[in-house]
Amino acid sequence: MRMTMVRRTSTSVTSRQLEVLAFLARREHWLVGEVASALGVSSAAATKAIARLERKGLVTRSVDMMDRRCVNVRITRAGNDAIRHIAKSV
């Protein structure tokens, strides 16, 4: 499988990461397990992709205060901007 890299200034996003961002943009927040299930990947694979996006400032993660085993993921303004920028260039 060939990975496509999309460049946005200093941030590059793989096609899988773009898929995660597009999914996250659908509502305010998601659980990591929901992301994994919707994309058909393991929780470990989703966590890895989300961690990379977090390092790039495109998503944030936070522990659910009601259930500390759950991690909420939110797309940032920069993440939404990246989706819009990529959509314009396609």
Side-chain angles (χ1 to χ4, degrees):
M1 181 167 120
R2 191 173 144 238
M3 293 294 271
T4 304
M5 298 294 284
V6 180
R7 296 239 176 248
R8 179 183 183 266
T9 59
S10 63
T11 303
S12 61
V13 178
T14 66
S15 56
R16 171 58 79 180
Q17 291 170 347
L18 180 57
E19 185 179 8
V20 172
L21 286 174
F23 180 77
L24 292 173
R26 294 181 186 172
R27 71 176 197 218
E28 186 179 340
H29 68 86
W30 298 89
L31 297 174
V32 172
E34 292 174 316
V35 175
S37 179
L39 299 178
V41 299
S42 67
S43 288
T47 298
K48 190 174 183 179
I50 290 165
R52 288 181 176 147
L53 290 168
E54 184 178 37
R55 284 193 297 272
K56 294 175 183 183
L58 302 176
V59 302
T60 60
R61 290 187 288 179
S62 61
V63 175
D64 187 308
M65 290 314 197
M66 299 301 276
D67 185 348
R68 299 196 52 82
R69 297 169 296 172
C70 297
V71 176
N72 290 306
V73 183
R74 289 173 168 48
I75 191 167
T76 63
R77 177 173 283 148
N80 279 314
D81 290 348
I83 291 172
R84 279 193 292 280
H85 176 77
I86 293 165
K88 285 181 186 177
S89 64
V90 175

